[in-house]
Amino acid sequence: MLILFTITTEQAHDKFEYLFHQYKKLLLYKAYNILHDHAMAEDATSEAFIRIYKNLHKIDQVDSNQTISFLVTIVTNTAITIVNKEKRNNTIPVDFEQTYENHDTGYNLEEEIISETISENMLDCINSLKEELKAPFLLKYAHDYSHKEIASFLNITENNVTVRIHRAKQRLAQILHQEGYVNEI
Amino acid sequence: MKSNLKNETFFKNLATAYVERDGKHLKENELQEAATISAENLDKKLHTRLNPSRFRKWSLALVPLAAGFLIFFVYMATSHNFDNFRNEQLGIMTATPEAERDFIAEEADVADDNAFVAEDGGAADADDISSSTFFFRNREAWYGHGETTEEAEVIEHPPLTVREFFTGFTVQNVSYEEMQNTYYLTNTNHENIILIEEFEKNILDINEHFEAFDIGSITAYLLVSDNEYILTFLLYDIRYTLISTSNSDDLFILSENIISSR
């Protein structure tokens, strides 16, 4: 870890400094909205920035909408991880696999052409996804991260990343189908 | 396959459009709302995590060193205990300074006395004897007398622990190896004698210079050279070799002691 921090370039350092000072409050704000505890929100935000620091090379334009969305995706996921950890410690354990097992809709994505065009309403369908599914889906398809990198970001296994992305697509397909955006073969 | 590829393209376009819109929304709305929140502690937390203090850096560097020392000390401590345990199991007197050795010798005398009393008819209380010293336990194991205890069974080849073997001699030092114990003795004239006890089923290579003698029911072989006397014999899978630079009498006395006791 020490080596990782010491061998970073000056440019990467500047980039990180900029991201941190520009967006630290936004990320803290988003974390606080989930955790409702300032100290825990700080922990989640600092953890998110550590993860971002490790994958800084992927960020090209520090002020792009895509980058801001990416930062918020990471901090949101970090905060939710803390919530789930607290739930496990205090009350009912939340088993991701069990929670999402029942959402298997039976859609075979390989046999289904969803749509050729994207509309504003379709984007809202992504908001219907739970964060556990939305984050890996967006990291893969919007930010072009590999499953390995996503696993590192979200602190889960690569297998889990694959499962979550698959289920995110199934769930999206189901919602889009219900909304009439899917053109079946 | 074709539809799958199209689906993948669709998801990519959908996700890209989503983050573009999401980012725009965050920038225009929530970035302003978040401006009032205090991030003072966050600066400190992140700074601490990204820049470990000098003390912490030193601590991290010293951890392997400390671990090395710890392993060394544990090894030193346990190896000493293992040696003691082994010696106790074997029932061997360890080499001690003279004053301490004399004290142990006195203790051993008492133990031996108890042992003989027990052998002679159990005049002494059995519990007292069995718990008195390890000398007695080893004697029982050696002779097969009394109740067989687990400790006694463990000892296959008890070494020369009973002091009467060395009556008239002083144990100056003892060295223990895996299959061999070496006793450095002196007689009353302070002449050196070495007794080697090996867990070996074969007798030494005997050449024509060795002379055979019967000591009790055992055949011993003596070699006399210009300045050295060597006496060797095999007794119950243990090979004894005695070396003296002064005379052969001491070797015979010691041999008789050993053989008669078996």
Side-chain angles (χ1 to χ4, degrees):
Chain A
M1 188 69 82
L2 277 173
I3 294 165
L4 183 75
F5 287 139
T6 49
I7 62 172
T8 50
T9 62
E10 193 71 23
Q11 195 181 5
H13 181 76
D14 290 346
K15 191 196 285 184
F16 181 75
E17 284 279 314
Y18 180 84
L19 286 172
F20 180 69
H21 287 293
Q22 192 71 10
Y23 300 115
K24 63 181 178 184
K25 289 191 174 182
L26 174 64
L27 268 59
L28 187 61
Y29 173 76
K30 296 296 281 184
Y32 182 79
N33 285 347
I34 295 165
L35 294 161
H36 306 292
D37 180 282
H38 199 78
M40 283 167 76
E42 285 172 346
D43 289 342
T45 308
S46 62
E47 176 61 30
F49 271 112
I50 296 287
R51 292 182 190 182
I52 291 159
Y53 192 97
K54 289 179 190 172
N55 294 275
L56 211 55
H57 61 282
K58 282 269 189 174
I59 298 171
D60 292 329
Q61 295 172 308
V62 287
D63 276 327
S64 70
N65 293 337
Q66 198 178 15
T67 299
I68 298 168
S69 177
F70 165 73
L71 299 178
V72 170
T73 299
I74 298 301
V75 79
T76 304
N77 191 270
T78 312
I80 286 172
T81 303
I82 291 173
V83 170
N84 284 340
K85 203 178 278 181
E86 288 291 309
K87 279 181 183 173
R88 268 196 294 271
N89 288 343
N90 296 331
T91 53
I92 309 157
V94 179
D95 187 342
F96 175 81
E97 294 296 327
Q98 280 184 359
T99 308
Y100 294 96
E101 200 68 43
N102 296 330
H103 289 296
D104 197 328
T105 57
Y107 274 81
N108 187 345
L109 291 166
E110 291 192 11
E111 293 177 2
E112 196 154 9
I113 300 170
I114 293 171
S115 180
E116 300 277 342
T117 56
I118 306 291
S119 69
E120 279 290 311
N121 291 336
M122 281 181 176
L123 300 181
D124 291 333
C125 293
I126 293 179
N127 283 331
S128 303
L129 290 177
K130 292 210 171 192
E131 193 58 37
E132 288 90 341
L133 301 182
K134 193 168 103 178
F137 173 78
L138 292 178
L139 288 170
K140 179 180 170 67
Y141 287 103
H143 303 290
D144 211 23
Y145 282 104
S146 68
H147 286 204
K148 191 177 180 181
E149 288 168 323
I150 295 167
S152 163
F153 271 131
L154 305 182
N155 205 22
I156 56 177
T157 63
E158 278 186 66
N159 284 342
N160 209 334
V161 171
T162 308
V163 169
R164 288 188 191 197
I165 289 170
H166 179 72
R167 286 179 180 166
K169 289 196 292 183
Q170 276 191 326
R171 181 80 183 124
L172 262 178
Q174 185 193 27
I175 296 166
L176 292 165
H177 184 261
Q178 284 168 354
E179 297 294 326
Y181 298 126
V182 176
N183 302 318
E184 288 185 57
I185 298 170
Chain B
M1 183 61 83
K2 189 182 172 187
S3 62
N4 188 38
L5 286 172
K6 282 194 174 183
N7 280 346
E8 288 296 298
T9 307
F10 167 76
F11 282 128
K12 188 168 179 57
N13 292 339
L14 184 71
T16 306
Y18 175 85
V19 297
E20 192 61 35
R21 191 186 73 167
D22 188 46
K24 191 179 175 189
H25 171 78
L26 287 165
K27 203 186 275 184
E28 288 175 356
N29 302 303
E30 299 198 51
L31 199 58
Q32 300 301 318
E33 289 173 28
T36 54
I37 199 165
S38 168
E40 193 182 337
N41 288 335
L42 179 65
D43 291 3
K44 289 176 191 168
K45 277 188 182 177
L46 195 68
H47 185 265
T48 308
R49 291 189 66 177
L50 288 175
N51 302 294
S53 67
R54 187 178 293 178
F55 173 75
R56 216 175 135 205
K57 282 179 186 172
W58 273 105
S59 302
L60 288 170
L62 289 171
V63 162
L65 197 64
F69 273 115
L70 184 67
I71 290 165
F72 175 74
F73 284 127
V74 167
Y75 170 76
M76 291 300 286
T78 52
S79 67
H80 180 68
N81 288 339
F82 278 133
D83 283 348
N84 285 347
F85 176 75
R86 179 177 171 271
N87 292 343
E88 195 168 319
Q89 285 294 306
L90 292 172
I92 296 168
M93 268 200 312
T94 53
T96 56
E98 199 163 345
E100 199 178 336
R101 190 166 57 239
D102 291 340
F103 174 76
I104 292 171
E106 283 173 23
E107 291 271 324
D109 281 339
V110 174
D112 288 344
D113 292 340
N114 286 341
F116 284 125
V117 169
E119 281 170 21
D120 289 339
D125 183 81
D127 289 340
D128 289 341
I129 293 164
S130 62
S131 63
S132 59
T133 64
F134 56 83
F135 293 103
F136 180 76
R137 293 202 300 273
N138 290 328
R139 273 183 66 87
E140 281 201 328
W142 200 327
Y143 291 121
H145 287 182
E147 287 181 11
T148 306
T149 63
E150 284 183 18
E151 286 167 295
E153 284 176 349
V154 170
I155 301 163
E156 252 181 63
H157 301 291
L160 300 177
T161 58
V162 185
R163 242 183 119 258
E164 67 261 27
F165 291 156
F166 304 125
T167 304
F169 301 90
T170 306
V171 179
Q172 297 293 353
N173 206 349
V174 185
S175 77
Y176 310 117
E177 291 172 35
E178 194 176 12
M179 298 296 287
Q180 177 180 311
N181 302 317
T182 307
Y183 303 81
Y184 298 91
L185 314 170
T186 52
N187 62 14
T188 49
N189 297 324
H190 304 288
E191 293 165 330
N192 295 324
I193 300 152
I194 298 171
L195 168 57
I196 302 166
E197 181 188 46
E198 295 163 282
F199 301 106
E200 172 61 60
K201 293 181 179 179
N202 301 312
I203 193 76
L204 279 180
D205 288 333
I206 305 298
N207 57 32
E208 67 275 16
H209 301 297
F210 278 87
E211 197 172 343
F213 289 90
D214 285 332
I215 303 174
S217 57
I218 298 295
T219 303
Y221 300 91
L222 178 70
L223 174 69
V224 181
S225 64
D226 289 340
N227 53 2
E228 204 172 49
Y229 300 85
I230 301 172
L231 183 71
T232 183
F233 59 93
L234 199 62
L235 182 66
Y236 298 116
D237 294 341
I238 300 175
R239 184 168 70 201
Y240 294 95
T241 305
L242 299 98
I243 303 163
S244 168
T245 52
S246 53
N247 64 76
S248 61
D249 294 341
D250 290 332
L251 307 187
F252 278 106
I253 292 166
L254 282 165
S255 299
E256 280 166 1
N257 287 346
I258 294 165
I259 292 166
S260 64
S261 69
R262 308 297 299 255

